[in-house]
Each structure stands twice: as C-alpha cells, then as structure tokens.
Amino acid sequence: PGTIRATVRLARTHGVAVGAHPGLPDLVGFGRREIQVTPGDVEDMVLYQIGAVAAIAHSEGVALQHVKAHGALYNMACRDEALAEAIARAVVAFDPTLVLFGLPGSALLQAGLDAGLPVAAEAFADRAYDPDGSLAPRARPGSVIHEVDAVVARAVTMVTAQTVVATDGSTIEFEADTLCLHGDTPGAALLAAAIRRGLEDAGVTIASLTGR
C-alpha cells in the first residue's frame, strides 16, 4: 500500500495519469506465471485490486484513468474470452468510464468493447512479437529488448506506421493507442525518456488518454 501511495503522489506531481494494474496473486513469480483461475476468481481479484488503488488515489485527490491487467493474467485474458469478460465485468462494476487496455485484436479488447467500456489498443515497445500478434514468451531469448536505439525505433514505428516486425521477420499491422514500457526493464527510466524524445522528434504529441 505504501508503494501505491508513493507512486500516486509522484504521478500527481508530474501530471501522469494513474491506472490500476491488477494481476494474479503470485508475488514470488511477479504475476508472470500462469495459474489456473476461474472467471469468478478473476472478476473478484480484479475488482478487489482496482478498489485498493482507487481508494489510495482518491485519498490523494487523483482519479483513475484506466485498467490494465498485468503479466500472465493479461496474456491469458487476451486469448481466453471467459477471463477477458470477467475482467471487463469487474471494470464495469467499479466504473464504466475507465479505459480498458489490451492487445489489438485480442479477446480482452473485444470484451471491453462488448461491455461498453472505452478501450485502448496497447503496443509494447520493449517486447518481441510473434507472427500472430501475441507477445513472445519471456522465457525465450530476445523476448525482452534492451537496446535503447532499437526500442525507440520500434516505438516510433508502432505509433507512426502502426506496424511492428515480428520474430520471423514478418510485419504486423495494428492500432496503437498507448505504449507499454516495463518498469523492471533495466534502465527503464532512461529508456522512457529516450522514447519520449524519439516520439516528439517524430512529431507525436504525448498525452494521457482522457486528461484525468
């Protein structure tokens, strides 16, 4: 809870929009290991975690903007309609104006649309993509991209050309409303600054999705 409060305060100070990032209850695996869960489990855990972040944000005078599932839960929901619908139900139950993030063309994004939520198609600047548009498994070498120039170039191309080169060399076309950069990628803060410079140099305006 203290980390959430400190993060919300930093976001408020720097004018950064705040969202909830609910994941599987697996602290040791950082939420990146798949666990068998029912749609009911997912709906409850997502609602519970959104509520926790929202309570702290409210106490700091900050409104939530979005919800993005974390790690394995995100990947599972992107391909599993029942889990995707559970996440969408939890978001609608809490606040139907929250933006739901998901991979372009995924079950998660479709579930949000079907539930009447505003949605944002998300691209990952520091992750490799398989030809089907899914993220390459983290256990595979090269799945996380660390080279600054490569990540910046990918980010700019994702936003301006709406494409990314997959692991087999093919080009994937998609929408990209928002970019993800993982905070535990080494040098993430410097990488984020480099991406921002690259996007601004390419004529892209950086802004929150809703102005919250």
Side-chain angles (χ1 to χ4, degrees), residues 91-106:
V91 177
V92 169
F94 186 82
D95 182 351
T97 70
L98 293 175
V99 181
L100 181 63
F101 286 11
L103 281 179
S106 68

Side-chain angles (χ1 to χ4, degrees), residues 167-191:
T167 51
D168 67 347
S170 62
T171 298
I172 302 171
E173 297 182 358
F174 56 31
E175 295 180 4
D177 301 310
T178 184
L179 287 176
C180 174
L181 174 66
H182 290 88
D184 63 330
T185 296
L190 295 176
L191 192 53

Side-chain angles (χ1 to χ4, degrees), residues 58-71:
H58 178 75
S59 74
E60 295 293 335
V62 175
L64 292 191
Q65 172 191 252
H66 61 271
V67 174
K68 174 193 168 176
H70 167 68

Side-chain angles (χ1 to χ4, degrees), residues 126-161:
D126 58 354
R127 295 281 273 107
Y129 282 78
D130 278 340
D132 64 356
S134 64
L135 299 178
R138 279 181 171 267
R140 187 189 304 166
S143 63
V144 180
I145 302 167
H146 300 283
E147 298 80 7
V148 174
D149 291 344
V151 174
V152 172
R154 286 168 69 85
V156 171
T157 301
M158 287 172 169
V159 174
T160 60

Side-chain angles (χ1 to χ4, degrees), residues 53-123:
V53 177
I56 293 174
H58 178 75
S59 74
E60 295 293 335
V62 175
L64 292 191
Q65 172 191 252
H66 61 271
V67 174
K68 174 193 168 176
H70 167 68
L73 179 60
Y74 181 96
N75 291 327
M76 292 161 67
C78 278
R79 63 177 186 268
D80 187 314
E81 291 183 9
L83 298 185
E85 290 167 358
I87 291 173
R89 284 195 301 272
V91 177
V92 169
F94 186 82
D95 182 351
T97 70
L98 293 175
V99 181
L100 181 63
F101 286 11
L103 281 179
S106 68
L108 182 54
L109 216 59
Q110 188 59 51
L113 291 170
D114 291 344
L117 290 167
V119 299
E122 182 178 34

